[in-house]
Amino acid sequence: MLTTPERIAFVLLVLICGGLAFSGFRNIVRIVRRGAPADRSDNLAGRFVRALVDVGLQKTVFKARPWVSFFHAFIFFGFSFYLLVNINDILEAFIDGWSTIGGGPIASAFNLFSDLFSVLVLTGMVMLLLRRFVQKPKSLTFNSSVKLHSKVTSGGVRTDSLIVGVFILLHVGSRWLGTALHLAEKGHGDAWLPTASIASIPFRGLPTSTLELGIHTCWWMAMGLIVLFLPYFPRSKHLHLMVAPINLALAKRTPRGELTGVANATEPGAETLTDLPWTQLLDSYACIMCNRCQDACPAHASGTPLSPAALEINKRYYVNEHAAQVAGGGAVANLLDFAITQDAVWSCTSCYACVEVCPVGNEPMMDLIEMRRGMVFEGKMADEVAEVLRNLDEKGNSFGDSARKRARWSKKLDFKIPDARKESVEYLWFVGDFASFDPQSQEVSKAVANLLHEAGVSFGILYEGERSAGNDIRRVGEEGLFDALAQQNAELLEQCEFEKIFTTDPHTFNALKNEYGPYAGAGQFEVVHYSTLLVELLNSGRLPIKAELGGRGTYHDPCFLGRYNGGFDAPREVITASGVELVEMPRNRENSFCCGAGGGRIWMKDHDDVTERPSENRIREALALGDIDFFVVACPKDLTMYRDAVKTSGNEGKIEVVDIVDLLNRAMTGDRSSESNKEAAA
């Protein structure tokens, strides 16, 4: 189809633009390789097969924003098929007589798909551009205190989106119009090209020379634009087309609740971009800048300076701006200088929501933990965090109380809980700091103990021998202290005789289940959350229900039980067994909204920019369900956070925050009043 001069011009254009693009891609490889070591080499074939399936089915995209995902799927499937379309167009241009119009069954099927996918891509792209530039959703903006690269504040992301959007419209639209002109030249439509046939009607009857000019112009608009776009591609967010599948394939495959250890104990954490593991440098190239992670972030929703999206976007704009310097091994700026503020680093609750919701497999939370590790190592932390870490180092608990007070709550029971250090038990109860020292949580601990005793369960505790399990210590960034506490606990556990460990604290549950494996004797034991144990006892008839409570309740999924460890069903079974009608909040299970206590945030003061605490946001969500009696929790920290939130949000008397064991206890005794609330009030 193309003339000889056109063919020569196209080849030269490919060589020039391809060479420029190659330079950009080479810089990307060099920059990523400068990152710290990270091993993602296990089962590479399986990793990439799984990633291709997930991408092919758009599974990660449809986790959120269903309508946006729907139109994105139009573009994805259409653009994927357009790889074949573009190959066909090259063949048509360079092989005389090549055409699929009027061909056999395979050519006809190809034409039908190319015709329909063209319309789908154009429709999807128009809808997404209307959303960004006309609707302008709040989710695409940032809190005023969020640190942003200067090019982002001047509209760089919007400009990039517009360039990519216009490119797709022109590329696909020109190809589709070119097909219509081909049909007009033939003087008739084609049943296998339905939309192009309709579009060809106005052009039929035009002079052949005019149609030929139009066909050549459309070809160059379609194929020439691709070639011209190549040098821009490595700098554009459109790069996610290539990097996202790779990023998903190389994602962390160990348990969600198991943090990657420190590579260099003498210089832990990250201060500069290249201190981050190379996988986290790859994240910035995979990022599509959709802000879904920001939507899910409780810290950003509260008004703090943290935006996981801004972190990845800032990283990307920095490496774009300094690509040659970074790729060449030159000096790299401190992350706090361009990517994020120190306040934002400490605003993270380590809830994992940003990682779970990301459609391209990014892990911005891990950047923050790496930065915290470096800051803690250098003593750069809030005074209240430093005080808690001293308490943990000296006393073994975050409250700073004597270890002898750890089991004081149990003295109010009518029986003595066996000492698991001295006698064999079926269940070793690792109580945890909050369940041991917090007054409200102590009442839940007593209720659990009474129920287990009544059910005839053989269980014991470690008394003053127990130390903090270290889950939040590790997420604050104090690896050395976590290691010391975990080692002490592991050595003590190894000396005890028991069959299983259970705990009422999801944070403790996560640490024991996922992070104690490397410590002698600790990794061999089964660890269960108390909700699982309660369900087993209910099903076996050892916890008989006297009178169903009635009423309506909603349940909050704790991050470290639900999103991290998949513990969704057992707490709900306890609630329904108690006779309470369960009404789900819009954000539930994997999509649950963090209470704001994790990542050590429960030890820190609220940021000055906070407009609404995550816990208050959640109470408002529950009340919006209408006529809800109980806000049910299965975590000691949640009990404290949400009872406080009911008060600070002015909703006292409108909803009761209760633990699952409180509901069960009432159903078993027939007493509808809350023992834990009575004790807390007293």
Side-chain angles (χ1 to χ4, degrees):
M1 182 194 80
L2 293 185
T3 63
T4 299
E6 284 180 305
R7 292 173 181 174
I8 294 172
F10 183 75
V11 171
L12 289 174
L13 187 64
V14 168
L15 292 174
I16 294 170
C17 292
L20 294 172
F22 175 78
S23 176
F25 284 114
R26 182 178 58 185
N27 280 342
I28 291 173
V29 172
R30 288 177 173 176
I31 289 169
V32 171
R33 290 182 65 183
R34 283 198 66 185
D39 185 10
R40 302 290 170 87
S41 61
D42 59 294
N43 189 25
L44 282 176
R47 282 174 171 271
F48 277 93
V49 168
R50 177 177 173 180
L52 290 174
V53 170
D54 287 347
V55 170
L57 297 177
Q58 294 285 275
K59 289 173 64 177
T60 58
V61 175
F62 274 94
K63 287 181 179 179
R65 300 180 184 173
W67 278 109
V68 174
S69 301
F70 181 67
F71 289 117
H72 180 273
F74 283 7
I75 299 170
F76 169 78
F77 290 117
F79 230 68
S80 298
F81 188 78
Y82 250 67
L83 177 62
L84 294 177
V85 172
N86 292 332
I87 292 173
N88 175 75
D89 290 350
I90 294 293
L91 294 174
E92 185 179 75
F94 283 83
I95 299 177
D96 293 333
W98 181 281
S99 177
T100 58
I101 298 176
I106 295 177
S108 296
F110 170 84
N111 287 340
L112 179 62
F113 280 116
S114 64
D115 186 82
L116 297 180
F117 277 131
S118 295
V119 175
L120 289 178
V121 170
L122 294 172
T123 302
M125 196 68 254
V126 167
M127 295 304 295
L128 294 187
L129 287 174
L130 286 174
R131 174 178 178 268
R132 180 174 283 274
F133 293 100
V134 178
Q135 183 186 7
K136 298 179 181 179
K138 186 180 178 181
S139 60
L140 296 180
T141 63
F142 303 91
N143 291 339
S144 59
S145 56
V146 171
K147 189 180 189 72
L148 295 172
H149 190 281
S150 59
K151 290 187 177 179
V152 178
T153 56
S154 62
V157 176
R158 286 170 57 85
T159 301
D160 189 27
S161 298
L162 184 61
I163 290 172
V164 171
V166 170
F167 158 70
I168 291 174
L169 290 177
L170 289 176
H171 169 59
V172 176
S174 297
R175 201 278 173 184
W176 177 73
L177 180 59
T179 302
L181 294 176
H182 270 296
L183 293 173
E185 186 180 39
K186 293 179 180 296
H188 59 78
D190 187 322
W192 296 100
L193 292 163
T195 66
S197 294
I198 295 172
S200 72
I201 294 174
F203 303 108
R204 295 175 193 174
L206 289 177
T208 301
S209 59
T210 302
L211 291 172
E212 278 294 320
L213 177 62
I215 290 169
H216 281 248
T217 301
C218 286
W219 190 94
W220 276 100
M221 286 291 290
M223 299 306 300
L225 269 179
I226 288 182
V227 179
L228 288 172
F229 190 77
L230 287 176
Y232 181 69
F233 191 63
R235 300 178 58 85
S236 166
K237 70 175 189 176
H238 207 49
L239 183 65
H240 79 276
L241 281 173
M242 293 177 58
V243 180
I246 298 172
N247 208 43
L248 287 166
L250 299 178
K252 180 174 173 282
R253 290 286 181 258
T254 51
R256 287 182 174 184
E258 179 185 355
L259 288 182
T260 304
V262 172
N264 183 358
T266 60
E267 294 182 3
E271 183 175 338
T272 68
L273 184 72
T274 51
D275 290 335
L276 294 171
W278 65 265
T279 52
Q280 287 159 239
L281 297 186
L282 191 65
D283 284 350
S284 61
Y285 291 107
C287 182
I288 193 174
M289 307 179 190
C290 64
N291 286 21
R292 292 186 184 209
C293 55
Q294 178 179 282
D295 285 354
C297 178
H300 190 271
S302 299
T304 75
L306 174 59
S307 164
L311 171 60
E312 296 297 349
I313 292 169
N314 288 339
K315 285 162 57 181
R316 177 64 182 281
Y317 272 82
Y318 177 83
V319 292
N320 278 354
E321 190 174 36
H322 303 278
Q325 177 181 333
V326 180
V332 182
N334 191 304
L335 286 162
L336 294 177
D337 291 338
F338 68 88
I340 194 169
T341 65
Q342 187 165 320
D343 282 346
V345 172
W346 290 107
S347 296
C348 178
T349 66
S350 68
C351 68
Y352 203 82
C354 61
V355 181
E356 194 279 330
V357 78
C358 181
V360 296
N362 284 352
E363 300 175 318
M365 185 191 81
M366 292 309 305
D367 288 14
L368 302 175
I369 289 177
E370 289 290 349
M371 293 183 72
R372 285 181 173 187
R373 285 170 171 173
M375 291 177 184
V376 169
F377 186 74
E378 295 178 1
K380 298 176 181 177
M381 69 195 94
D383 291 341
E384 57 266 30
V385 175
E387 182 181 356
V388 168
L389 293 179
R390 279 194 297 271
N391 290 338
L392 286 157
D393 184 34
E394 297 170 4
K395 306 289 187 179
N397 66 80
S398 57
F399 288 80
D401 285 338
S402 167
R404 293 184 177 276
K405 295 182 180 180
R406 182 174 282 276
R408 181 173 290 181
W409 61 270
S410 67
K411 293 183 178 181
K412 297 181 181 180
L413 298 171
D414 295 332
F415 60 94
K416 179 175 174 57
I417 300 178
D419 189 336
R421 298 170 298 177
K422 300 176 181 178
E423 55 184 292
S424 174
V425 292
E426 181 182 2
Y427 285 95
L428 188 151
W429 181 1
F430 203 105
V431 185
D433 284 4
F434 247 77
S436 296
F437 294 103
D438 176 68
Q440 294 184 77
S441 300
Q442 286 175 345
E443 301 309 317
V444 173
S445 296
K446 287 190 287 186
V448 170
N450 279 321
L451 285 182
L452 297 184
H453 181 69
E454 185 174 334
V457 176
S458 168
F459 71 98
I461 61 177
L462 296 172
Y463 286 87
E464 70 273 12
E466 181 184 309
R467 299 287 183 271
S468 169
N471 187 78
D472 294 340
I473 300 163
R474 196 171 197 197
R475 279 145 188 84
V476 161
E478 182 40 291
E479 281 287 317
L481 181 55
F482 167 77
D483 181 71
L485 291 169
Q487 189 64 53
Q488 291 176 45
N489 284 325
E491 289 174 357
L492 182 57
L493 290 173
E494 194 172 17
Q495 298 169 17
C496 301
E497 293 185 14
F498 58 91
E499 295 181 19
K500 296 180 182 179
I501 298 174
F502 88 88
T503 180
T504 58
D505 183 4
H507 297 242
T508 298
F509 170 71
N510 181 74
L512 295 174
K513 180 176 184 287
N514 295 313
E515 302 200 297
Y516 272 43
Y519 300 95
Q524 61 184 304
F525 304 119
E526 181 182 353
V527 184
V528 298
H529 187 251
Y530 75 125
S531 59
T532 301
L533 176 56
L534 292 176
V535 169
E536 291 176 1
L537 296 174
L538 283 165
N539 291 339
S540 65
R542 295 167 71 180
L543 291 177
I545 301 298
K546 183 176 181 180
E548 292 189 350
L549 282 180
R552 302 170 81 235
T554 192
Y555 172 66
H556 167 76
D557 288 282
C559 301
F560 281 98
L561 177 62
R563 187 157 40 240
Y564 272 100
N565 289 291
F568 300 116
D569 296 330
R572 288 173 168 82
E573 291 181 38
V574 174
I575 294 169
T576 54
S578 302
V580 174
E581 178 189 351
L582 179 62
V583 183
E584 296 285 6
M585 287 181 277
R587 294 175 292 185
N588 62 76
R589 294 182 176 264
E590 285 271 5
N591 192 36
S592 182
F593 191 69
C594 177
C595 74
R601 282 300 313 168
I602 198 166
W603 304 325
M604 305 179 210
K605 298 175 183 176
D606 286 335
H607 195 276
D608 292 340
D609 292 332
V610 167
T611 55
E612 181 183 52
R613 295 172 180 169
S615 53
E616 294 169 341
N617 181 302
R618 194 67 159 150
I619 291 296
R620 180 163 52 84
E621 181 180 1
L623 289 171
L625 297 173
D627 192 25
I628 296 294
D629 302 296
F630 306 111
F631 186 98
V632 189
V633 299
C635 170
K637 292 183 176 70
D638 284 342
L639 188 72
T640 299
M641 296 295 287
Y642 287 118
R643 282 186 175 170
D644 184 57
V646 167
K647 296 175 183 177
T648 57
S649 62
N651 288 302
E652 287 184 278
K654 296 180 182 179
I655 193 168
E656 182 183 2
V657 179
V658 296
D659 189 273
I660 56 170
V661 78
D662 199 356
L663 291 182
L664 186 57
N665 188 55
R666 296 189 209 183
M668 289 178 62
T669 61
D671 183 359
R672 292 178 175 271
S673 60
S674 167
E675 289 300 320
S676 59
N677 275 345
K678 289 178 189 176
E679 295 287 346

